[in-house]
């Protein structure tokens, strides 16, 4: 199904009876070259790259529910590459570059909006650390600007500068950062993979792995066994549960993260802004709602709903950063299950089981990683070798003490 202005007009005149599903309702076949477990953004992007870049078309994506129902359709849509560790910046910058051409690559409108992402600094020490981060970003080819308070007052007049409890001392701006319509990303990758011959199979839960002599030969599913030359797992918040089926214990905990949307407002917030004295990030959707979030709930859970203390915390931080926000009414909130790794950075690697590969530990940052994650996981599945920009994201780094601790917070998911 292609979309165009002409098609829209034609369907409007015909009562919208001619629209077709964007991808086939595929039935599972007995065997594939590659099986990808998880039909979220990462699983679908992996299938797209396997088929389109590596020419591997006997691929199935197995999704226990419906495409887009997981975190790929639940996040606050922020993309950026403003990371502070040498291992992370090149990977997220590669992802940002893929976002910049995503709509052309997929021929799909994903509403990529490079409106700028601003991180606020409220202490001199924070300004120093942002200066270091900005320099690292520039060395890796990313854009970064350190703005003074005076410059911020000119460009971001809606922030609470005067009488603020946490005075704004400066900010790190990445103008190429922004937002992307999250569920369109899942739909775009699903359509692209499907057109390249991939079977996107919904309502198909993986319940076990067929492991013989230390090698993974396929999966058990609610729709029968499926043989696979190689199996890749990309199930985000369910990572611990699913990999336990293969006898693998991961350095990952599952926590709830909530998101919030206000009533529709006239345009007041043209950028993505994050608060530096706590954890709060906010943007305004094209429909006018303010979309925001904060910390994870802080306890392990597989429930996709949150709790009230986080609501209070997030709203306090929002009102402190942009006082005008306190007058907006929250319309909706929801939760998603986050795969929090012990150093705040992801894992894209082979596992101790031959033929079984893992992608996860995305914490707060997995949406922005979607294109690069798909590219790198597909590279690993197709060639057996790590893609250069994902080479540091090894599973054994925790055992070796070579963690990539983005925030220097140690093994505490709540602080990443
Ligand atoms: C509230 C919230 C806000 C966020 N905001 C941002 C943000 O602004 N920017 C950012 O970069 N990141 C953000 N994230 C993180 C980001 O959404 C995730 O890291 C990312 O989407 C995870 O990858 P995915 O899209 O593949 O996950 P998912 O969409 O969750 O995909 C995993 C899929 O695996 C399926 N699955 C699980 N178990 C099985 C099984 N046994 N068999 C078959 N299928 C299975 C699930 O049903 C699911 O569809 C946010 C997350 C949340 C919850």
């Amino acid at each position: 199904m292609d979309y165009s202005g002409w098609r829209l007009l034609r369907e409007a005149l015909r009562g919208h009876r001619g629209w077709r599903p964007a991808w086939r309702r595929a039935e599972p076949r007995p065997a594939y070259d590659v099986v990808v477990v998880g039909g979220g953004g990462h699983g679908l992007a992996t299938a797209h790259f396997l088929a389109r870049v590596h020419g591997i078309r006997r691929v199935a994506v197995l999704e226990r529910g419906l495409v887009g129902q997981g975190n790929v359709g639940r996040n606050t849509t922020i993309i950026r590459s403003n990371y502070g560790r040498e291992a992370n910046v090149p990977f997220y910058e590669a992802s940002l570059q893929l976002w910049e051409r995503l709509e052309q690559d997929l021929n799909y409108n994903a509403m990529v909006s490079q409106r700028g992402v601003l991180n606020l600094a409220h202490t001199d020490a924070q300004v120093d650390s942002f200066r270091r981060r900005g320099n690292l970003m520039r060395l890796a080819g990313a854009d970064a600007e350190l703005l003074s308070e005076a410059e911020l007052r000119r460009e971001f007049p809606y922030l609470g500068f005067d009488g603020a409890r946490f005075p704004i001392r400066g900010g790190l701006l990445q103008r190429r950062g922004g937002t992307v319509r999250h569920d369109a990303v899942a739909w775009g990758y699903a359509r692209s993979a499907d057109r390249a011959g991939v079977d996107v199979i919904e309502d198909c839960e993986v319940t076990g792995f067929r492991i013989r002599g230390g090698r993974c030969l396929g999966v058990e599913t609610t729709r029968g066994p499926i043989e696979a030359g190689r199996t890749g797992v990309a199930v985000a918040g369910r990572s611990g549960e699913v990999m336990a089926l293969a006898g693998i214990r991961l350095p990952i905990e599952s926590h709830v993260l909530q998101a919030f949307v206000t009533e529709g407002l006239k345009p007041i917030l043209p950028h993505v802004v994050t608060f530096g004295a706590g954890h709060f990030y906010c943007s305004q959707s094209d429909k006018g709602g303010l979309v925001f979030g904060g910390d994870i709930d802080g306890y392990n859970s597989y429930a996709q709903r949150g709790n009230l203390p986080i609501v209070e915390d997030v709203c306090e931080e929002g009102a402190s950063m942009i006082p005008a926000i306190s007058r907006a009414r929250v319309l909706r909130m929801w939760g998603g299950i986050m795969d929090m790794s012990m150093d705040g950075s992801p894992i894209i690697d082979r596992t101790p089981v031959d033929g079984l590969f893992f992608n996860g530990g995305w914490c707060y940052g997995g949406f922005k990683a979607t294109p690069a994650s798909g590219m790198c996981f597909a590279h690993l599945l197709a060639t057996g070798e790590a893609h250069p920009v994902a080479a540091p994201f090894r599973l054994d780094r925790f055992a070796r003490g070579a963690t990539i601790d983005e925030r220097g917070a140690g093994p505490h998911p709540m602080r990443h």
Side-chain angles (χ1 to χ4, degrees):
M1 172 60 67
D2 285 318
Y3 308 102
S4 64
W6 161 242
R7 181 90 203 215
L8 197 62
L9 182 67
R10 203 172 70 149
E11 290 304 328
L13 296 173
R14 290 171 11 151
H16 293 286
R17 284 191 296 274
W19 297 113
R20 298 278 171 270
W23 60 91
R24 289 169 296 134
R25 180 166 281 275
E27 293 298 320
R29 285 184 266 168
Y32 292 91
D33 292 335
V34 180
V35 159
V36 179
V37 186
H42 292 232
L44 293 164
T46 302
H48 158 90
F49 281 98
L50 279 170
R52 302 267 175 189
V53 174
H54 299 280
I56 302 175
R57 289 161 195 270
R58 281 195 353 129
V59 176
V61 178
L62 308 181
E63 166 53 47
R64 76 203 280 261
L66 297 174
V67 158
Q69 271 186 337
N71 287 345
V72 69
R74 292 170 178 268
N75 60 67
T76 40
T77 77
I78 300 167
I79 61 163
R80 57 184 173 85
S81 64
N82 56 0
Y83 278 75
R85 288 284 172 277
E86 279 173 21
N88 279 329
V89 194
F91 174 81
Y92 285 98
E93 177 54 24
S95 208
L96 195 49
Q97 289 176 17
L98 288 169
W99 283 120
E100 285 172 330
R101 51 173 210 264
L102 177 100
E103 291 171 314
Q104 288 73 29
D105 285 351
L106 299 183
N107 187 23
Y108 202 90
N109 179 10
M111 296 164 72
V112 177
S113 164
Q114 292 182 284
R115 59 183 69 183
V117 173
L118 175 68
N119 292 163
L120 291 176
H122 306 270
T123 63
D124 292 343
Q126 215 171 8
V127 172
D128 280 349
S129 101
F130 280 2
R131 182 173 290 119
R132 278 197 297 278
R133 195 204 288 193
N135 287 339
L136 189 75
M137 289 166 62
R138 284 176 172 220
L139 285 172
D143 64 309
E145 289 170 49
L146 191 67
L147 301 184
S148 65
E149 182 193 337
E151 288 167 319
L152 288 174
R153 278 182 185 268
R154 274 198 298 279
E155 200 173 335
F156 301 82
Y158 50 82
L159 296 172
F161 290 98
D162 300 317
R165 179 164 174 216
F166 300 100
I168 295 170
R169 306 303 302 257
L172 186 66
L173 175 64
Q174 183 173 39
R175 292 194 191 273
R176 289 165 55 245
T179 60
V180 181
R181 168 142 187 191
H182 46 14
D183 37 17
V185 174
W187 302 333
Y189 274 128
R191 186 181 74 161
S192 169
D194 173 83
R195 283 187 173 180
V198 170
D199 285 350
V200 178
I201 304 167
E202 295 169 289
D203 284 326
C204 184
E205 178 171 355
V206 169
T207 53
F209 294 92
R210 315 187 90 196
I211 298 171
R212 307 273 182 281
R215 176 162 178 78
C216 181
L217 305 175
V219 290
E220 305 288 347
T221 81
T222 46
R223 297 174 67 178
I226 299 175
E227 279 177 31
R230 285 183 173 169
T231 304
V233 175
V235 293
R238 298 267 166 195
S239 293
E241 253 185 10
V242 172
M243 293 306 282
L245 299 172
I248 294 171
R249 187 157 180 245
L250 295 171
I252 286 179
E253 288 180 6
S254 291
H255 288 251
V256 184
L257 178 67
Q258 303 181 58
F260 306 84
V261 178
T262 69
E263 61 191 321
L265 304 169
K266 287 189 177 169
I268 57 161
L269 187 57
H271 316 93
V272 180
V273 192
T274 79
F275 187 53
H279 199 182
F280 175 83
Y281 34 91
C282 189
S283 65
Q284 187 166 20
S285 77
D286 292 337
K287 281 196 292 186
L290 298 174
V291 182
F292 56 93
D295 270 322
I296 51 176
D297 278 14
Y299 52 87
N300 299 12
S301 175
Y302 288 103
Q304 295 194 108
R305 59 170 185 269
N307 67 22
L308 289 172
I310 293 287
V311 181
E312 190 177 5
D313 190 52
V314 164
C315 291
E316 271 178 1
E317 292 187 26
S320 174
M321 187 175 80
I322 309 174
I325 280 189
S326 57
R327 294 169 55 197
R329 280 171 292 205
V330 173
L331 278 196
R332 294 185 289 129
M333 56 188 279
W334 62 87
I337 311 166
M338 311 287 293
D339 40 334
M340 303 298 297
S341 68
M342 289 301 125
D343 60 358
S345 295
I347 298 161
I348 302 180
D349 203 359
R350 50 179 65 247
T351 73
V353 178
D354 198 19
L356 180 61
F357 298 79
F358 176 70
N359 171 324
W362 292 102
C363 305
Y364 294 85
F367 178 64
K368 69 183 73 64
T370 305
S373 166
M375 176 180 81
C376 294
F377 202 33
H379 183 93
L380 179 66
L381 284 161
T383 66
E385 301 292 329
H387 189 284
V389 294
F393 300 149
R394 289 172 56 156
L395 182 54
D396 69 359
R397 71 177 186 265
F398 301 92
R400 292 186 297 115
T403 53
I404 309 165
D405 196 339
E406 179 64 31
R407 289 197 162 203
H412 305 286
M414 191 64 194
R415 298 192 193 137
H416 289 308

